[in-house]
Structure formats: structure tokens, C-alpha cells
Amino acid sequence: MNTTELIVSIVVGIGCCALGMFLGSMPLKRDQITEEQNKYQQLGGLLACGLVVILMLLSMDIASWVAIAALAVGVGICRIPAVRRWLLAQFPMLKPAEPQSPLRKAKPKKR
């Protein structure tokens, strides 16, 4: 492992941990996600996958494993209830969508 790969691994690890925390702080249930959160979630996932693939193509194996591990650690940190409450208080964009009342299905009249 040379100096370049070590520096790339550190930078990628910090960035992917932040990205994992961002993605992990969003709601997991589909009906609680807003349109804006859905767009950011798709963009974040695409960015994470693209980064790992680019690191693999550049033969930076350790950096790619660090990226995957940092994403998982970031998501795990955000699933801690105290951390999640703090993030939701700091960033209102991450709050789940308000539940909508389900539409009542029309029942056919009995004759």
C-alpha cells in the first residue's frame, strides 16, 4: 500500500461515512419518503455505487473496501435512536412525510 492509496482511502472513508449517515437518516418505509428524499436517496446510492466501481477499476482494492465499510458504518450510526433524533432536529429535510389518509374504496350498493 503506497501513500496515494492511503490518502485516497482516508478521504473516501470520511466521505462515504458522511454519505452513509445521510442515506441512513432517511426513512426506510416507502410511504414515509417524500419526493425530495426519494431523489436524494437515488442520487446518493448512484454516487456510492459509482465511487466503488471507479475505485475497483483503478485497482484500489483497499479504498473500495473502506468505502463499502464506511457506508455500512454510517448507516449503522444513524440507526441509533439518539443520533437519529439529533439529526432530525438539525436537518428538517430528513423528517418522514406526514401520513396521508387512505382513500376509502366505494362499496357497491346491495340490492
Side-chain angles (χ1 to χ4, degrees):
M1 179 196 280
N2 55 16
T3 308
T4 306
E5 191 169 2
L6 181 65
I7 292 171
V8 169
S9 296
I10 292 170
V11 170
V12 164
I14 293 170
C16 284
C17 189
L19 181 62
M21 288 179 70
F22 175 71
L23 292 174
S25 62
M26 289 189 193
L28 292 178
K29 294 182 180 176
R30 182 77 176 134
D31 59 341
Q32 293 179 344
I33 295 178
T34 63
E35 282 295 320
E36 184 181 17
Q37 290 172 343
N38 189 25
K39 289 178 186 176
Y40 282 127
Q41 200 172 39
Q42 289 176 356
L43 180 65
L46 186 65
L47 182 68
C49 289
L51 181 66
V52 170
V53 168
I54 288 171
L55 288 172
M56 286 180 179
L57 291 175
L58 292 175
S59 297
M60 294 191 173
D61 297 333
I62 294 176
S64 62
W65 282 108
V66 166
I68 294 169
L71 285 164
V73 167
V75 170
I77 289 172
C78 282
R79 288 292 142 200
I80 299 172
V83 175
R84 185 165 173 77
R85 280 192 302 269
W86 181 81
L87 282 171
L88 291 177
Q90 297 298 317
F91 303 103
M93 195 244 3
L94 298 174
K95 291 187 180 180
E98 295 294 324
Q100 298 176 357
S101 62
L103 296 175
R104 295 183 182 176
K105 294 182 180 179
K107 295 181 180 177
K109 293 181 180 179
K110 294 182 179 178
R111 295 185 185 188

